[in-house]
């Protein structure tokens, strides 16, 4: 069904970004606008989601050009879910930023760029055109690059250089893949590609192209051995920024992998095995890395990689059940990882360091914060029945049914390492007696901030914590959702019909 | 029933909000919860006695077949009564033991959480729900062991316990899902009916392996036992409640529960008997050399758990009955001994058995409890322990050709345990009272009444086994054994071989107690073999794993951007080459090159030369200029293929890039070479190979028939529909206008970024 309003999540973020630029130096106005407009954007996403949940796939042909000739925007349940999660994370981070980002950065366009980034993410989730997807990726890269460098600290620049080089490499590979795809079938519309690619006789060429897409998106998803940019950069920018990165940047890569490898390239045995192998090694590399870190954000960065492995494992097994696991984990992970980095931000504001060996005494000093922070930490571990647990049930069962016993072993190993790392962190940061840390110049501590801003930092953590608890205790809802998406992905005919069968609005 | 189970969680959840009101005396409301629950569950006695289990069902996550279905049968009833009954006593004891502690409310909250998890565990009929509660007991145990969180040893023990039980938990999860997948249901009741099918499935071995690891880690079986002595760092109520009476028996519960489903096979029986036997002997001998009261009790608990695993492994009716009775026997006397040890520690400040003596003179009721418990532990008639021990010997004696060996093992274990019990329950109270303990006095009755009650129960049940025979033990037996025989508990069997064995045990144990005096010297001798202990080996493994992690991470995440690029490109090249080699017949046809013109060849040569210049030049300026030449050559190629507008665009972009480059590099320091020649050669080879692969790929694509549908659509409709004469322009602003919008945004963002990079210098006071 046609509905031109489905591009609203994109356009509204663009509008917000432009509006914010008119308040260049008026940082308080920016804080307010960003917060309120993020809330409206959340409302729009909820509307979009409920609309699609009730009416099925909605599409919009940009400029009224009929598919496959123009750019098509497609909102199916998967896209709408991702947009909704982006809006939740975006809202939380916007509020947290209002409390935690110092004026100096805000005066150099922090908020406009944040909303550009959100626009890019929404665009990537909603587009049904592979070149258009590339464009949204460009926006995401450049916006995130600017956010990493904003402030120009030496460590920021060093991280940013690695970040941008490797991500541009990914883009180049992605673009090459699109060029080859276009040369092969002469189309860019993803639904159309799905039909055309299936008819290409030279399967070898199709398989090679699939590899290019795998690597291109694989770099963005931070899978083994392509993840280097992530641990090199995520710990350098201000916490609010790394929170939005942690929640969504790798996930948009995973989204693309899930989309492309269910719609256009159906994995053959080699590709499936490759994905499974990479998933296992991704889990291992992330877990091993996390074991060694003493900086909380670096630790979380490696855990992101580790858990990306779970998602890729679901894709690699390529059954409806496995995808349910991967999708559930994806939903859980976006919320919980965003929250973890916000928590890290809060801890930094309280103590001025993120070194877990130096931190201590949270249990005694901040019992309420400890309780609040325990929610994302233990959700991440997947202490049942918290949110990280349910997805593993599906992944493990899918593993049995497809005979992937070694992969199950790696999933359990990853879970165990996560448990250990978080328990260790808990013992160090929350349990260990407080050692006084010398006050740092240049850090505005939590207790020096005005109460309103303090609440701006605590509120998002509460909001995301409640969301995590909801995912855990009402897992049934999320499972129904994941099953719906998984069934959609495995039977893309509805998607194709919606895009190609729909009549354009004008001529 | 669901409210009864979850009430502990609910209470724990509201504690943080009422924390200030729940310190001091107000915390006396906490013991009321287990008291209520005990009454509630006790009211089911008549129904269970009539063989009528109580079931409840609530939906939770029906998609995965996870529901809150609870079932109270004989086995569950025993556990539920132990959990709530001992819970009441421990909760009251805690009030006095932790009196005045800053965080007593928090402590109670964790205890409530644990109690609720434990109730859920033993009542769940759904195996996934069972697992959920299982994990929750591990987590509450983590918080309770680490309760004195400012002591490094507490934190370390808590982490160790969580690692071991957590690891076991993951195995159990794997086992439960496998069991559910093979058995087709997550309900224990339904699995019972497909028992034979599961046992003959090829994955049966996997199921019991996972299940065993889960049960062994939780119930501290060799070689996973070592977390339990460490867990004794927890306050004594925790040691009593979790690490002796209830939580560590969860593994036993699991084995007993699944005996009817998975048991009675060669691997089931032999594994359990072997592991149980090793554990009971190993831990019993270890208990001989300990000096710390709680250490002795910890090892004797491990040993008792070993006996239980061993009995379930034997799997005969006698053995299962013995296991059922011994669970209760052990809970009664061991909880008493722990509580007594806690009182001694609380009042004297030491738990060293070599120092403690004569305390009976100052705290008689405590001494009474200790001695009663020690006697029940010893299996002296007429205590309940005697009934239990008889049953154990009966079970081992009837086990065919292995009877002698098994009975021998049981006797040795029991002698050591007897010794340990006397050491912990009797030794501190007899002999002369050292002067420094002169001021020691009897604590509040809240502390000494609970152990006394437990200890007396040991005597009462021994004298009148009929009290519990039909109401508790018979339903328990029916729920773990398939045979359905009537059972009878008797104190007195007459003078037979088993009675003789019992008496031998008693005499030898007492003799041992008389002769062997624990001392530092002996303790150290025993420690000579410590380097072989599983704890040390696991420690080595952990260090090795950590070293491996360091090497692995250091190898991949080495900090050099160039290595990252090489790794990624290398990986891509290998994959591409493999797929090209396997999937594509190379067909570079001669006719493809027939139309190549001289101009094209010349331009190509220019490009090739420029590339060489770019790569090998030592001057940046030359390199940039050569890059510009390559750009212009591409423009020419666009021109040859009749795309003048593209050529113009490319031309302006290239010019601009070169100018910008020159402006930027003007300020840079001189060119330096950081890489060695072999590395450069390696990189060169990779680059050439990668380039070749992409070239081959492109040529292959050109071989495919080109689909011109899209471009023809653009050409036909640009003027008629989009009202534009220049097709490229129409594509940019209309057909694919959204792409252009995106690219404009990219430029805008980049401009903002450049602006901030040039202008924004954070002052040192406003960094974070």
């Amino acid at each position: 069904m046609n509905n031109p309003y489905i591009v609203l999540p994109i356009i509204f973020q663009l509008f917000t970004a432009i509006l914010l630029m008119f308040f260049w130096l008026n940082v308080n106005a920016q804080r307010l606008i960003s917060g309120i407009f993020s809330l409206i954007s959340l409302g729009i996403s909820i509307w979009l989601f409920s609309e699609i949940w009730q009416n099925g796939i909605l599409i919009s042909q940009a400029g009224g050009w009929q598919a496959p000739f123009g750019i098509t925007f497609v909102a199916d349940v998967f896209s709408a879910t991702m947009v909704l999660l982006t809006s939740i994370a975006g809202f939380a981070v916007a509020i947290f930023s209002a409390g935690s980002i110092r004026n100096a950065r805000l005066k150099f366009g922090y908020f406009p760029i944040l909303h550009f980034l959100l626009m890019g993410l929404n665009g990537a989730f909603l587009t049904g055109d592979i070149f258009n997807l590339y464009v949204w990726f460009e926006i995401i890269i450049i916006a995130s690059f600017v956010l990493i460098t904003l402030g120009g600290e030496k460590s920021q620049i060093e991280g940013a250089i690695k970040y941008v080089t490797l991500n541009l490499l990914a883009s180049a590979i992605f673009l090459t893949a699109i060029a080859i795809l276009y040369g092969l079938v002469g189309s860019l519309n993803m639904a159309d590609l799905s039909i055309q690619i299936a008819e290409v006789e030279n399967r070898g060429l199709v398989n090679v192209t699939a590899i290019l897409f795998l690597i291109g998106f694989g770099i963005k998803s931070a899978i083994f051995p392509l993840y280097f940019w992530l641990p090199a950069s995520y710990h350098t920018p201000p916490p609010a920024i790394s929170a939005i990165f942690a929640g969504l940047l790798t996930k948009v890569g995973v989204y693309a992998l899930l989309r492309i490898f269910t719609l256009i390239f159906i994995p053959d045995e080699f590709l499936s095995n490759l994905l499974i192998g990479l998933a296992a090694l991704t889990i291992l590399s992330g877990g091993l890395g996390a074991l060694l870190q003493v900086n909380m954000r670096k630790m979380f960065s490696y855990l992101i990689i580790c858990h990306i492995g779970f998602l890729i494992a679901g894709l690699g097994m390529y059954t409806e059940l496995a995808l349910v696991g991967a999708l559930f984990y994806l939903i859980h992970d976006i919320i919980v990882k965003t929250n973890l980095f916000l928590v890290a931000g809060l801890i930094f504001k309280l103590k001025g360091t993120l070194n877990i060996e130096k931190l201590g005494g949270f249990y005694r000093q901040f019992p309420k914060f400890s309780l609040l922070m325990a929610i994302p930490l233990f959700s991440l571990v997947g202490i049942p029945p918290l949110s990280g647990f349910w997805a593993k049930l599906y992944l493990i069962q899918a593993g049995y049914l497809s005979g992937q016993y070694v992969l199950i072993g790696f999933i359990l190993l990853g879970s165990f390492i996560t448990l250990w790392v978080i328990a260790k962190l808990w013992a160090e940061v929350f349990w260990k007696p407080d050692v006084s840390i010398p006050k740092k110049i240049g850090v505005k501590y939590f207790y020096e901030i005005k109460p309103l801003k303090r609440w701006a930092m605590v509120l998002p953590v509460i909001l995301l914590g409640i969301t995590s608890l909801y995912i855990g205790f009402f897992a049934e809802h999320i499972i129904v959702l994941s099953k719906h998406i998984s069934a959609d992905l495995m039977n893309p005919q509805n998607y194709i019909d919606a895009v190609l069968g729909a009549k354009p609005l004008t001529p | 029933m669901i409210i009864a189970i979850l009430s502990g969680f609910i209470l724990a959840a509201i504690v943080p909000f009422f924390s200030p009101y729940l310190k001091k005396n107000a915390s006396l409301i906490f013991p009321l919860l287990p008291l209520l629950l005990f009454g509630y569950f006790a009211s089911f006695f008549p129904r269970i006695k009539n063989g009528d289990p109580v079931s409840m069902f609530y939906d939770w996550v029906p998609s995965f077949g996870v529901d809150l279905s609870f079932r109270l049968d004989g086995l569950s009833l025993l556990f539920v009564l132990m959990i709530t009954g001992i819970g009441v006593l421990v909760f009251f004891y805690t009030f006095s033991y932790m009196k005045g502690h800053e965080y007593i409310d928090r402590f109670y909250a964790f205890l409530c959480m644990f109690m609720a998890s434990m109730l859920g565990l033993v009542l769940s009929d759904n195996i996934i729900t069972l697992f959920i509660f299982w994990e929750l007991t591990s987590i509450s145990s983590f918080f309770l062991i680490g309760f004195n969180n400012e002591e490094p040893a507490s934190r370390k023990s808590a982490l160790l316990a969580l690692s071991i039980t957590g690891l076991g938990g993951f195995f159990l999860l794997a086992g439960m899902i496998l069991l559910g997948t093979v058995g087709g249901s997550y309900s224990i009741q339904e699995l019972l009916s497909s028992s034979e099918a599961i046992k003959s499935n090829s994955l049966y071995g996997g199921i019991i392996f996972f299940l065993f690891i889960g049960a062994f880690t939780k119930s501290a079986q060799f070689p996973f036992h070592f977390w339990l002595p460490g867990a004794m760092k927890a306050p004594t109520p925790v040691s009593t409640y979790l690490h002796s009476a209830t939580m560590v028996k969860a593994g036993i519960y699991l084995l007993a529960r699944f005996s009817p489903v998975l048991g009675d096979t060669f691997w089931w029986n032999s594994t359990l008997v072997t592991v149980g036997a090793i554990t009971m002997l190993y831990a019993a001998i270890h208990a001989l050399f300990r000096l710390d009261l709680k250490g002795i009790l910890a090892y004797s608990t491990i040993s008792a758990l070993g006996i239980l695993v061993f009995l379930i492994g034997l799997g005969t009716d006698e053995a299962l009955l013995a296991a059922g009775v011994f669970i209760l026997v052990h809970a009664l006397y061991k909880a008493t001994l722990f509580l007594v040890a806690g009182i001694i520690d609380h009042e004297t400040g030491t738990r060293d058995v070599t120092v403690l003596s004569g305390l009976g003179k100052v705290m008689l009721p405590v001494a009474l409890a200790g001695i009663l418990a020690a006697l029940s532990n010893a299996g002296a008639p007429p205590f309940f322990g005697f009934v239990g021990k008889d049953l154990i010997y009966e079970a081992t004696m009837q086990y065919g050709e292995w009877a002698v060996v098994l009975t021998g093992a049981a006797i040795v274990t029991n002698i050591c345990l007897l010794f340990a019990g006397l050491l912990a329950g009797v030794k501190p109270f007899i002999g002369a009272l050292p002067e420094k303990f002169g001021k020691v006095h009897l604590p509040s009755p809240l502390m000494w009444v609970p152990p006394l009650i437990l200890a007396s129960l040991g005597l009462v049940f021994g004298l009148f086994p009929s009290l519990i025979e039909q109401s508790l033990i018979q339903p328990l037996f029916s729920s773990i054994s398939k045979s359905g025989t009537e059972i009878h508990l008797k104190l007195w069997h007459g003078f037979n071989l088993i009675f003789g064995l019992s008496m031998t045990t008693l005499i030898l144990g007492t003799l041992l107690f008389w002769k062997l005096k624990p001392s530092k010297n002996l303790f150290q001798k025993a420690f000579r073999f410590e380097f072989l202990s599983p704890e040390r080996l696991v420690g080595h493994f952990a260090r090795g794993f950590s070293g491996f992690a360091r090497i692995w991470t250091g190898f991949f995440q080495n900090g050099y951007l160039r290595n990252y690029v090489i790794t990624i490109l290398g990986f891509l090249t290998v994959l591409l080459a493999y797929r090209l080699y396997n999937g594509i017949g190379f067909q570079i046809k001669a006719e493809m090159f027939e139309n190549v013109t001289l101009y094209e060849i010349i331009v190509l040569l220019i490009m090739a030369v420029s590339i060489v210049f770019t790569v090998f030049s030592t001057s940046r300026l030359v390199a940039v200029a050569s890059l510009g030449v390559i750009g212009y050559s591409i423009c020419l190629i666009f021109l040859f293929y009749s795309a003048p507008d593209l050529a113009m665009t490319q031309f302006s972009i290239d010019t601009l890039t070169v100018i910008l480059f020159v402006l930027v590099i003007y300020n840079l320091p001189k060119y330096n070479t950081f890489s060695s020649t072999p590395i450069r050669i390696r990189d060169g080879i990779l680059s050439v190979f990668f380039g070749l692969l992409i070239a081959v790929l492109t040529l292959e694509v050109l071989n495919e028939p080109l689909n011109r549908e899209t471009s023809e659509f653009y050409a036909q409709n640009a003027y008629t529909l989009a009202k534009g004469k220049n097709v490229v322009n129409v594509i940019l602003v209309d057909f694919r206008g959204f792409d252009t919008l995106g690219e404009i945004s990219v430029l805008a963002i980049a401009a903002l970024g450049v602006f901030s990079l040039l202008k924004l210098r954070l002052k040192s006071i406003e960094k974070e």
Side-chain angles (χ1 to χ4, degrees), chain A residues 172-183:
Chain A
I173 296 169
F174 181 18
L175 194 59
T176 312
I178 293 176
I180 291 172
L181 207 55
Y182 190 77

PDB file of all heavy atoms in Angstrom, chain A residues 172-183:
ATOM      1  N   ALA A 172      33.784   1.912  -0.095  1.00  0.00           N
ATOM      2  CA  ALA A 172      34.326   1.670  -1.431  1.00  0.00           C
ATOM      3  C   ALA A 172      33.979   0.259  -1.889  1.00  0.00           C
ATOM      4  O   ALA A 172      33.575   0.040  -3.050  1.00  0.00           O
ATOM      5  CB  ALA A 172      35.836   1.874  -1.421  1.00  0.00           C
ATOM      6  N   ILE A 173      34.110  -0.701  -0.982  1.00  0.00           N
ATOM      7  CA  ILE A 173      33.786  -2.078  -1.344  1.00  0.00           C
ATOM      8  C   ILE A 173      32.295  -2.212  -1.645  1.00  0.00           C
ATOM      9  O   ILE A 173      31.882  -2.851  -2.616  1.00  0.00           O
ATOM     10  CB  ILE A 173      34.217  -3.028  -0.210  1.00  0.00           C
ATOM     11  CG1 ILE A 173      35.739  -2.989  -0.052  1.00  0.00           C
ATOM     12  CG2 ILE A 173      33.756  -4.447  -0.479  1.00  0.00           C
ATOM     13  CD1 ILE A 173      36.244  -3.683   1.184  1.00  0.00           C
ATOM     14  N   PHE A 174      31.492  -1.577  -0.819  1.00  0.00           N
ATOM     15  CA  PHE A 174      30.049  -1.572  -1.006  1.00  0.00           C
ATOM     16  C   PHE A 174      29.697  -0.994  -2.369  1.00  0.00           C
ATOM     17  O   PHE A 174      28.901  -1.558  -3.142  1.00  0.00           O
ATOM     18  CB  PHE A 174      29.445  -0.754   0.148  1.00  0.00           C
ATOM     19  CG  PHE A 174      27.953  -0.621   0.172  1.00  0.00           C
ATOM     20  CD1 PHE A 174      27.118  -1.471  -0.540  1.00  0.00           C
ATOM     21  CD2 PHE A 174      27.354   0.375   0.944  1.00  0.00           C
ATOM     22  CE1 PHE A 174      25.734  -1.332  -0.496  1.00  0.00           C
ATOM     23  CE2 PHE A 174      25.980   0.522   0.992  1.00  0.00           C
ATOM     24  CZ  PHE A 174      25.175  -0.320   0.257  1.00  0.00           C
ATOM     25  N   LEU A 175      30.337   0.140  -2.705  1.00  0.00           N
ATOM     26  CA  LEU A 175      30.044   0.800  -3.971  1.00  0.00           C
ATOM     27  C   LEU A 175      30.452  -0.083  -5.146  1.00  0.00           C
ATOM     28  O   LEU A 175      29.723  -0.207  -6.138  1.00  0.00           O
ATOM     29  CB  LEU A 175      30.777   2.142  -4.018  1.00  0.00           C
ATOM     30  CG  LEU A 175      30.326   3.106  -5.105  1.00  0.00           C
ATOM     31  CD1 LEU A 175      28.849   3.425  -4.952  1.00  0.00           C
ATOM     32  CD2 LEU A 175      31.136   4.392  -5.055  1.00  0.00           C
ATOM     33  N   THR A 176      31.631  -0.707  -5.018  1.00  0.00           N
ATOM     34  CA  THR A 176      32.063  -1.630  -6.075  1.00  0.00           C
ATOM     35  C   THR A 176      31.020  -2.719  -6.273  1.00  0.00           C
ATOM     36  O   THR A 176      30.667  -3.081  -7.405  1.00  0.00           O
ATOM     37  CB  THR A 176      33.398  -2.291  -5.671  1.00  0.00           C
ATOM     38  OG1 THR A 176      34.281  -1.282  -5.219  1.00  0.00           O
ATOM     39  CG2 THR A 176      34.003  -3.052  -6.815  1.00  0.00           C
ATOM     40  N   ALA A 177      30.530  -3.224  -5.148  1.00  0.00           N
ATOM     41  CA  ALA A 177      29.537  -4.292  -5.224  1.00  0.00           C
ATOM     42  C   ALA A 177      28.280  -3.806  -5.932  1.00  0.00           C
ATOM     43  O   ALA A 177      27.707  -4.527  -6.771  1.00  0.00           O
ATOM     44  CB  ALA A 177      29.195  -4.780  -3.820  1.00  0.00           C
ATOM     45  N   ILE A 178      27.858  -2.564  -5.636  1.00  0.00           N
ATOM     46  CA  ILE A 178      26.664  -2.035  -6.295  1.00  0.00           C
ATOM     47  C   ILE A 178      26.905  -1.913  -7.792  1.00  0.00           C
ATOM     48  O   ILE A 178      26.051  -2.268  -8.612  1.00  0.00           O
ATOM     49  CB  ILE A 178      26.292  -0.653  -5.708  1.00  0.00           C
ATOM     50  CG1 ILE A 178      25.852  -0.796  -4.257  1.00  0.00           C
ATOM     51  CG2 ILE A 178      25.174  -0.012  -6.512  1.00  0.00           C
ATOM     52  CD1 ILE A 178      25.565   0.526  -3.582  1.00  0.00           C
ATOM     53  N   ALA A 179      28.108  -1.428  -8.135  1.00  0.00           N
ATOM     54  CA  ALA A 179      28.424  -1.255  -9.562  1.00  0.00           C
ATOM     55  C   ALA A 179      28.334  -2.588 -10.278  1.00  0.00           C
ATOM     56  O   ALA A 179      27.743  -2.703 -11.361  1.00  0.00           O
ATOM     57  CB  ALA A 179      29.813  -0.648  -9.698  1.00  0.00           C
ATOM     58  N   ILE A 180      28.904  -3.618  -9.672  1.00  0.00           N
ATOM     59  CA  ILE A 180      28.870  -4.931 -10.319  1.00  0.00           C
ATOM     60  C   ILE A 180      27.436  -5.444 -10.422  1.00  0.00           C
ATOM     61  O   ILE A 180      27.014  -5.972 -11.445  1.00  0.00           O
ATOM     62  CB  ILE A 180      29.755  -5.913  -9.534  1.00  0.00           C
ATOM     63  CG1 ILE A 180      31.218  -5.504  -9.713  1.00  0.00           C
ATOM     64  CG2 ILE A 180      29.543  -7.335 -10.005  1.00  0.00           C
ATOM     65  CD1 ILE A 180      32.163  -6.256  -8.859  1.00  0.00           C
ATOM     66  N   LEU A 181      26.698  -5.213  -9.380  1.00  0.00           N
ATOM     67  CA  LEU A 181      25.296  -5.632  -9.373  1.00  0.00           C
ATOM     68  C   LEU A 181      24.535  -4.934 -10.495  1.00  0.00           C
ATOM     69  O   LEU A 181      23.754  -5.553 -11.234  1.00  0.00           O
ATOM     70  CB  LEU A 181      24.692  -5.254  -8.016  1.00  0.00           C
ATOM     71  CG  LEU A 181      23.526  -6.058  -7.497  1.00  0.00           C
ATOM     72  CD1 LEU A 181      23.900  -7.516  -7.457  1.00  0.00           C
ATOM     73  CD2 LEU A 181      23.161  -5.574  -6.101  1.00  0.00           C
ATOM     74  N   TYR A 182      24.787  -3.642 -10.640  1.00  0.00           N
ATOM     75  CA  TYR A 182      24.087  -2.880 -11.679  1.00  0.00           C
ATOM     76  C   TYR A 182      24.498  -3.372 -13.061  1.00  0.00           C
ATOM     77  O   TYR A 182      23.666  -3.516 -13.958  1.00  0.00           O
ATOM     78  CB  TYR A 182      24.382  -1.387 -11.516  1.00  0.00           C
ATOM     79  CG  TYR A 182      23.516  -0.528 -12.392  1.00  0.00           C
ATOM     80  CD1 TYR A 182      22.193  -0.279 -12.041  1.00  0.00           C
ATOM     81  CD2 TYR A 182      23.999   0.024 -13.575  1.00  0.00           C
ATOM     82  CE1 TYR A 182      21.374   0.492 -12.847  1.00  0.00           C
ATOM     83  CE2 TYR A 182      23.192   0.793 -14.385  1.00  0.00           C
ATOM     84  CZ  TYR A 182      21.872   1.027 -14.022  1.00  0.00           C
ATOM     85  OH  TYR A 182      21.058   1.775 -14.826  1.00  0.00           O
ATOM     86  N   GLY A 183      25.800  -3.646 -13.188  1.00  0.00           N
ATOM     87  CA  GLY A 183      26.257  -4.173 -14.472  1.00  0.00           C
ATOM     88  C   GLY A 183      25.624  -5.524 -14.779  1.00  0.00           C
ATOM     89  O   GLY A 183      25.347  -5.859 -15.929  1.00  0.00           O
TER      90      GLY A 183
END
